[in-house]
């Protein structure tokens, strides 16, 4: 695992395409966000988003560069004011990341619904040989309208 130290509210980490990368990603970003002085709710929501996006990347996508580089998944974040912009990039999968409506009995397919519930906004960017799911996490009131 290679990583660049966070500077001025930003950081990046290259992760292997293994489930063991999820807790490493959480630990690394938690340390950075706590140091940035964000509220506990924003930090927790950012950790939820990172957990879901990195898990999706390692379970459902190819590693970056077809697996020829040491990092299979790239996690980047930037703190701007009270918000955190998060990008998780992988080599793309068989399906384009999308919000699903799984049946109640199904135990998979809820990752992006969770991201949708806690992020102010999120989306997907596709590039040659890479897919990035990005999200913005920040303070919001559950009953207040969210940004469009």
């Amino acid at each position: 695992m290679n990583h660049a130290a966070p500077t001025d509210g930003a950081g990046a980490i290259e992760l292997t395409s293994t489930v063991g990368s999820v807790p490493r990603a959480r630990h690394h970003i938690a340390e950075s966000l706590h140091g940035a002085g964000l509220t506990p709710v924003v930090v927790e929501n950012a950790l939820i988003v990172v957990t879901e996006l990195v898990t999706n990347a390692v379970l459902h996508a190819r590693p970056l560069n077809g697996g020829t580089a040491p990092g299979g998944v790239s996690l980047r974040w930037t703190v701007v004011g009270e918000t955190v912009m998060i990008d998780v990039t992988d080599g793309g999968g068989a399906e384009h990341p999308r919000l699903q409506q799984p049946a109640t009995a199904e135990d998979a397919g809820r990752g992006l619904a969770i991201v949708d519930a806690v992020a102010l906004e999120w989306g997907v960017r596709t590039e040659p040989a890479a897919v990035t799911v990005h999200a913005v996490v920040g303070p919001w009131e559950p009953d207040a309208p969210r940004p469009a």
Side-chain angles (χ1 to χ4, degrees), residues 23-75:
R24 284 193 294 275
R26 284 179 54 87
H27 173 77
H28 198 77
I29 196 169
E31 188 175 286
S32 174
L33 297 183
H34 284 297
L38 295 169
T39 66
V41 170
V42 172
V43 172
E44 185 58 35
N45 285 344
L47 291 174
I48 290 168
V49 167
V50 165
T51 299
E52 295 302 329
L53 296 184
V54 173
T55 299
N56 284 350
V58 301
L59 292 180
H60 303 296
R62 292 178 297 277
L64 285 167
N65 301 320
T68 60
V73 176
S74 173
L75 166 62

Side-chain angles (χ1 to χ4, degrees), residues 2-120:
N2 298 323
H3 59 84
T7 58
D8 299 329
I13 184 170
E14 300 298 321
L15 303 157
T16 59
S17 290
T18 62
V19 176
S21 290
V22 176
R24 284 193 294 275
R26 284 179 54 87
H27 173 77
H28 198 77
I29 196 169
E31 188 175 286
S32 174
L33 297 183
H34 284 297
L38 295 169
T39 66
V41 170
V42 172
V43 172
E44 185 58 35
N45 285 344
L47 291 174
I48 290 168
V49 167
V50 165
T51 299
E52 295 302 329
L53 296 184
V54 173
T55 299
N56 284 350
V58 301
L59 292 180
H60 303 296
R62 292 178 297 277
L64 285 167
N65 301 320
T68 60
V73 176
S74 173
L75 166 62
R76 300 188 187 296
W77 66 95
T78 304
V79 176
V80 178
E82 296 179 322
T83 64
V84 184
M85 295 181 290
I86 300 166
D87 287 344
V88 175
T89 304
D90 56 49
E95 293 184 22
H96 190 72
R98 62 181 174 79
L99 196 59
Q100 297 181 25
Q101 302 295 327
T104 305
E106 291 183 46
D107 61 354
R110 291 178 177 77
L112 288 177
I114 293 169
V115 170
D116 188 60
V118 300
L120 296 173

